[in-house]
Amino acid sequence: MGQRFSNTPNDEDNGNLLSSFTTYFRNYKPETKIISEENTLSIELCLKKGDLQGANSVISDALKVIDNATINIAVTGESGSGKSSLINALREVKPEEESAAEVGVTETTREIKPYEHPKVKNLILWDLPGIGTPDFQPKNYLQKVEFKKYDFFIIVSSTRFTQHEIDLAKAIKVMKKNYYFVRAKVDSDLRNEKRSHPHTFDRENILNKIRNYCLDNIRKWNIDEPQVFLISNHNLSDYDFPVLMDTLIKDLPAEKRHNFLLSLPNITEAAIQKKYSSTKQFIWLNAMKDGLLATVPVVGILHDLDMEKLKKRLNFYQDLFGVDDESLTFMAKDAQVPVEQLKEKLKSPHLLEFKKEETLGELLLKCLEKFASANGGLLATGLYFRKTYYLELHFLDTVAEDAKVLLREAYSKKIAQTQFAHSYQQSQDQQVYTRES
């Protein structure tokens, strides 16, 4: 920790900075990076030439683009297909909430309705009337829904895809935009099949039949190599929903990827990790931008203003990862346990609570030591990363781990409920068998 910082970076500093940047961002797969390859190369070139002002400018512009990138997702399908439920699921909004998309078995979408994501700015899901409805005929459908503003289309069905929807997919492809076929309500199909054929029920076989039925139906209309995602809007971690999310992430431009990744529901540990990695990249770039032209030591005095900023950042991460007070209260109510019982399992609510002998500065030093041991030095450069960066990373690490703890808690409860339901059903079946015998 005795490293000296010079006001004027030398060639060795520049070389170390280039090495640190390259090593960090080359560790990410292209489909998970939040800056484009073009920007990555521009930053590397500036650092190689010692042009810190240029590197700072490229990073600043890239962060502005990322932060302000608007994502418009169009969701369409026939009435009762489950598209409104999908929109609510993607926004993590319950059907009874005021901001929810209206759900019903009749045609509830008669006009184009935008739904903003409650936690991620600039992410909007558009509930579109199904193609072929009275006011949205095939011949002028794309024009009426303002086709150009959407990043991609999700075409939802709960049975089979109609000719109208197939024609829509073809038109979208001609316009060089992406579309995705989603077969919803597969959980209902499985329940019905199990009820009808309890002794011969085969889950994977039924899912394959549903998938093949959809694929055969689509191929009939001359669409090559279609992909259909089987989902349940009530059990997002099951079936193909995680695969759908991974496909959308990969297909989005790098600058739009960050906001979409932040919107991922915490349905799997992999989803939480993707959200974590994206946020970490953003923090890293922001800190590097601030640090490139700074000339003060990394360990400074943390003022009250810094503490207020840190509290806001911690609250932001807790809200983003669903470990804020409101989310914990909802989860506790759902699990029928005291909210304090959940909080006991988490570390993030106590991050800014210190014992008398501890200070925020000492926590900063611990974070610096942790970062140095994991990353081979303080960014392997004499330049300054803003002092709150290491604490932000510590907050992010802790909050993401808390999100995984809550996910495991919810999963264990779900397993227990499933086992109870299975045991109860076996008991009922046995009673019926005994009476009949």
Side-chain angles (χ1 to χ4, degrees), residues 65-225:
V65 170
I66 291 168
D67 199 39
N68 295 318
T70 300
I71 304 173
N72 290 293
I73 302 172
V75 184
T76 186
E78 290 187 318
S79 61
S81 63
K83 60 189 175 74
S84 296
S85 295
L86 176 60
I87 288 172
N88 291 334
L90 287 168
R91 296 169 64 237
E92 295 186 90
V93 171
K94 301 298 179 184
E96 64 272 15
E97 291 185 42
E98 186 177 345
S99 65
E102 187 177 354
V103 177
V105 294
T106 59
E107 179 58 61
T108 55
T109 309
R110 299 183 181 276
E111 57 186 24
I112 303 168
K113 295 182 181 179
Y115 293 92
E116 296 181 358
H117 194 283
K119 293 184 179 180
V120 182
K121 67 175 185 177
N122 299 332
L123 176 58
I124 305 171
L125 293 109
W126 297 80
D127 193 352
L128 306 185
I131 187 170
T133 50
D135 294 330
F136 291 85
Q137 291 300 306
K139 63 180 180 180
N140 59 1
Y141 184 82
L142 290 177
Q143 181 182 353
K144 275 208 163 189
V145 300
E146 299 180 72
F147 167 85
K148 290 183 179 180
K149 73 181 174 187
Y150 307 112
D151 290 279
F152 55 83
F153 284 71
I154 296 177
I155 305 172
V156 186
S157 174
S158 59
T159 51
R160 65 181 182 84
F161 297 95
T162 67
Q163 183 179 357
H164 287 331
E165 290 159 343
I166 303 299
D167 289 340
L168 173 62
K170 289 180 179 179
I172 293 169
K173 187 175 182 180
V174 169
M175 299 292 187
K176 298 187 177 179
K177 291 204 175 185
N178 291 330
Y179 64 86
Y180 306 90
F181 288 118
V182 167
R183 171 56 161 83
K185 301 186 180 182
V186 293
D187 51 338
S188 297
D189 293 319
L190 289 172
R191 281 197 304 270
N192 292 336
E193 187 66 25
K194 189 171 185 178
R195 193 178 296 115
S196 302
H197 305 92
H199 301 298
T200 59
F201 175 77
D202 184 326
R203 183 180 186 273
E204 291 307 313
N205 184 45
I206 300 303
L207 289 175
N208 284 333
K209 282 185 177 180
I210 295 171
R211 190 187 307 278
N212 290 331
Y213 176 73
C214 290
L215 290 173
D216 290 343
N217 170 245
I218 295 170
R219 291 191 187 105
K220 181 177 68 176
W221 301 103
N222 297 318
I223 288 188
D224 296 329
E225 300 182 9

Side-chain angles (χ1 to χ4, degrees), residues 71 238-239 296 318 334 433:
I71 304 173
D238 293 338
Y239 317 111
V296 294
Q318 288 174 319
D334 187 54
Y433 176 78

Side-chain angles (χ1 to χ4, degrees), residues 295-312:
T295 58
V296 294
V298 70
V299 183
I301 298 172
L302 288 164
H303 303 286
D304 290 340
L305 181 60
D306 294 313
M307 175 65 93
E308 287 304 310
K309 287 181 179 178
L310 287 170
K311 284 180 180 178
K312 288 181 180 179

